[in-house]
Amino acid sequence: ALPTMDYRVADLSLADFGRREITLAEHEMPGLMAMRVTYGPQQPLAGARIAGSLHMTIQTAVLIETLVELGAEVRWASCNIFSTQDHAAAAIAVGQGTTDAPKGQPVFAWKGESLDEYWWAATQTFRWPDGQLPTMILDDGGDATLLVHLAAKHQGAGTLPDPADATNDEERALFGALRTSLEEGIVDWVAVAGSIQGVTEETTTGVMRLYQAAQEGSLLWPAINVNDAVTKSKFDNIYGVRHSLIDGINRATDVLIGGKVAVVCGYGDVGKGCAQSLRGQGARVIVTEIDPICALQAAMDGYQVATLDDVVGIGDIFVTATGNLDVISAEQMSQMKHQAIVGNIGHFDNEIDMAGVAAWDGIKRITIKPQVDEWIFPDGHGVLVLSEGRLLNLGNATGHPSFVMSNSFTNQVLGQIELWTKHDTYPVGVHRLPKHLDELVARLHLDSLGVRLSKLTPKQAAYLGVPVEGPYKPDFYRY
Ligand code: NAI
């Protein structure tokens, strides 16, 4: 436990509500609870000081408390300005203490941060007390990793980032927070960069950033690509999204989805989950893709595949799920039907050109409620934008439910244990968890669903050329 409790959350009095929901979530997170039982006594994360940057939700609270039960110390921020569940953050701050004397974990997260506050919170996760340094990063989208790389580079060269050099608001806020932190000199970023042993990364976009850094030779530490564990991207990105996409649309708009035309941009894992959930509600789903394989998959799954320009005037609901930028332009939004709904479920807000919409000549913004805006074009037609173009399932709803996040987060815990206890065996670069751990994560989630697994006979195992106890598939198998 830390000698001084520092935190910033919206409202500590929400802690009891948060704790009640954490207790419910624990029952739905058998993988994480099994980690506590199996590894708790060994304390494999003893000595690890983890800087965490991941949506501060109820499910993340169970992850945080699992890491702590395994011996780690943590400091936490959210990886999105709208995704924090304030009762979860409060419960983590209060811990075993009271609202008057909180004794939980240092957490810096609240729903509706400004961009400046977001990057301030990120820097706080690296500001450990008593001259201690963080030793691990647990990242979602790569912002914490980016922050340390950039800060250490500037501090090492004796330079300061200039917000005037930024190309967008996000960067301007990052450069500003970094500049303040370098001027204050409270965090020794070069020392932080040197003490980090590794990073585990949650999502497709963060993994893409890691591979790019590794390729250009700038990556400082070994990284574990949690996203591409089968029990992560083939579950969270598909089934998690299948649940939380329509949850977000419903809570935001309450519009009947059945009968509508829904356009899903991107038919990767997340896009597949989106298309399934919208079809499940009775929407007619149209997919856009740039990859011929995914386009063909969408067609074989029974979806019309079109270009956005071809369908921009007939869609009622548009969802971007590409992890790419500039997918829906302001021009395209100007051509949509009155009260078309536009939302993004990819990691960053650059999929929809919100800056272009805001700068549209004569446009008016009416905030219907937090995270739901109607943008009215000069011709009088309006488009409903969810969460200002940030991931709508976490901005308008509560993200993925516990059971699927238990799969993702069990991989996170295993990744942290791997990198912390065996960092000598992981060179700088991007690694995936070994397949036997992927299969273990799945195994831990079978019992609570009543799954009865068949067992290979030794003769069958020999015939297939796999061990009776697994792993069962080669690395190139695609599930
Ligand atoms: P993916 O790589 O499997 O799929 C993205 C697809 O978009 C690819 O098939 C690609 O060909 C396609 N694409 C790229 N540019 C396009 C364009 N201009 N038009 C149409 N299609 C285009 O990635 P995945 O795992 O589906 O993730 C997508 C995004 O969602 C990432 O940013 C990821 O970090 C994020 N994500 C969000 C979650 C959430 O809860 N909101 C959960 C998991 C991932």
Side-chain angles (χ1 to χ4, degrees):
L2 293 160
T4 51
M5 178 66 203
D6 49 347
Y7 62 89
R8 186 171 162 193
V9 301
D11 182 359
L12 279 186
S13 73
L14 298 171
D16 283 347
F17 173 33
R19 182 54 55 190
R20 289 193 295 272
E21 289 217 327
I22 289 170
T23 304
L24 294 184
E26 286 171 350
H27 179 68
E28 278 283 294
M29 302 187 87
L32 284 183
M33 299 315 273
M35 291 288 106
R36 295 185 188 184
V37 173
T38 309
Y39 292 106
Q42 304 162 25
Q43 296 286 291
L45 293 178
R49 287 185 290 274
I50 303 173
S53 169
L54 196 152
H55 310 291
M56 185 56 251
T57 62
I58 290 291
Q59 293 71 34
T60 302
V62 182
L63 167 64
I64 290 172
E65 293 186 340
T66 303
L67 295 167
V68 170
E69 284 213 14
L70 270 46
E73 291 176 85
V74 302
R75 292 174 76 79
W76 214 270
S78 205
C79 64
N80 183 281
I81 59 172
F82 292 139
S83 64
T84 295
Q85 292 163 16
D86 288 323
H87 62 322
I92 285 298
V94 168
Q96 304 294 309
T98 63
T99 48
D100 294 329
K103 278 199 200 134
Q105 309 306 323
V107 49
F108 306 85
W110 59 98
K111 190 175 182 79
E113 296 162 1
S114 69
L115 286 174
D116 291 332
E117 290 166 338
Y118 172 81
W119 286 108
W120 170 84
T123 58
Q124 296 310 303
T125 65
F126 292 100
R127 194 178 160 186
W128 288 69
D130 307 327
Q132 291 178 330
L133 293 166
T135 60
M136 299 288 290
I137 294 176
L138 192 156
D139 218 349
D140 182 347
D143 278 355
T145 299
L146 171 72
L147 178 64
V148 180
H149 277 75
L150 210 58
K153 195 167 140 190
H154 276 291
Q155 190 190 318
T159 55
L160 288 174
D162 186 349
D165 293 339
T167 55
N168 55 42
D169 289 348
E170 192 83 35
E171 242 176 35
R172 220 169 341 268
L174 163 61
F175 289 1
L178 207 54
R179 197 181 170 97
T180 308
S181 137
L182 287 164
E183 280 168 350
E184 285 175 344
I186 296 169
V187 180
D188 182 346
W189 291 103
V190 172
V192 167
S195 75
I196 299 285
Q197 305 288 331
V199 49
T200 56
E201 169 55 53
E202 174 84 359
T203 199
T204 316
T205 287
V207 163
M208 175 188 79
R209 284 172 147 191
L210 284 172
Y211 281 113
Q212 283 170 351
Q215 203 155 34
E216 68 185 35
S218 61
L219 184 65
L220 294 172
W221 325 292
I224 285 189
N225 165 358
V226 168
N227 183 68
D228 288 293
V230 180
T231 48
K232 200 286 182 178
S233 51
K234 296 294 171 185
F235 290 80
D236 170 321
N237 304 24
I238 300 175
Y239 310 121
V241 163
R242 187 175 71 183
H243 171 104
S244 62
L245 170 74
I246 55 164
D247 191 9
I249 295 172
N250 285 337
R251 293 199 209 196
T253 69
D254 227 4
V255 81
L256 185 76
I257 297 172
K260 298 289 196 303
V261 174
V263 181
V264 175
C265 302
Y267 200 68
D269 291 322
V270 172
K272 289 177 173 77
C274 291
Q276 266 192 55
S277 71
L278 292 161
R279 173 185 271 173
Q281 290 296 305
R284 187 149 59 84
V285 178
I286 303 176
V287 167
T288 77
E289 251 298 343
I290 50 96
D291 181 328
I293 297 177
C294 299
L296 187 60
Q297 270 184 320
M300 302 292 271
D301 287 338
Y303 301 107
Q304 179 186 346
V305 183
T307 69
L308 188 55
D309 279 328
D310 285 342
V311 295
V312 77
I314 63 164
D316 299 291
I317 300 169
F318 294 84
V319 180
T320 54
T322 68
N324 200 353
L325 46 74
D326 299 342
V327 176
I328 298 184
S329 67
E331 176 67 35
Q332 285 165 329
M333 286 168 73
S334 78
Q335 298 162 19
M336 290 175 182
K337 289 203 231 177
H338 182 49
Q339 285 189 10
I341 296 164
V342 178
N344 165 50
I345 198 160
H347 190 79
F348 283 121
D349 64 341
N350 51 1
E351 304 209 16
I352 301 168
D353 181 16
M354 288 313 300
V357 172
W360 194 271
D361 206 17
I363 196 119
K364 269 199 309 215
R365 172 181 179 176
I366 297 175
T367 297
I368 308 288
K369 60 184 181 182
Q371 285 87 55
V372 182
D373 293 299
E374 183 174 13
W375 290 86
I376 306 197
F377 285 85
D379 68 357
H381 93 285
V383 171
L384 288 170
V385 177
L386 310 189
S387 288
E388 301 178 15
R390 295 167 199 279
L391 22 81
L392 76 93
N393 60 330
L394 282 137
N396 297 91
T398 50
H400 298 350
S402 300
F403 192 79
V404 84
M405 293 315 295
S406 179
N407 288 269
S408 307
F409 289 165
T410 303
N411 281 296
Q412 278 285 6
V413 171
L414 290 167
Q416 288 284 323
I417 295 174
E418 279 289 298
L419 282 183
W420 179 243
T421 60
K422 302 185 196 158
H423 41 79
D424 293 342
T425 63
Y426 287 94
V428 174
V430 189
H431 309 271
R432 277 181 302 137
L433 285 170
K435 187 163 294 282
H436 73 269
L437 293 181
D438 221 345
E439 290 181 357
L440 169 68
V441 173
R443 263 183 216 286
L444 293 173
H445 292 87
L446 297 179
D447 273 355
S448 63
L449 297 181
V451 173
R452 305 246 304 138
L453 196 63
S454 304
K455 246 197 157 108
L456 283 174
T457 65
K459 189 176 165 198
Q460 288 174 320
Y463 182 75
L464 293 178
V466 298
V468 169
E469 66 285 356
Y472 301 105
K473 300 285 197 292
D475 266 346
F476 53 80
Y477 187 80
R478 293 193 180 90
Y479 296 87

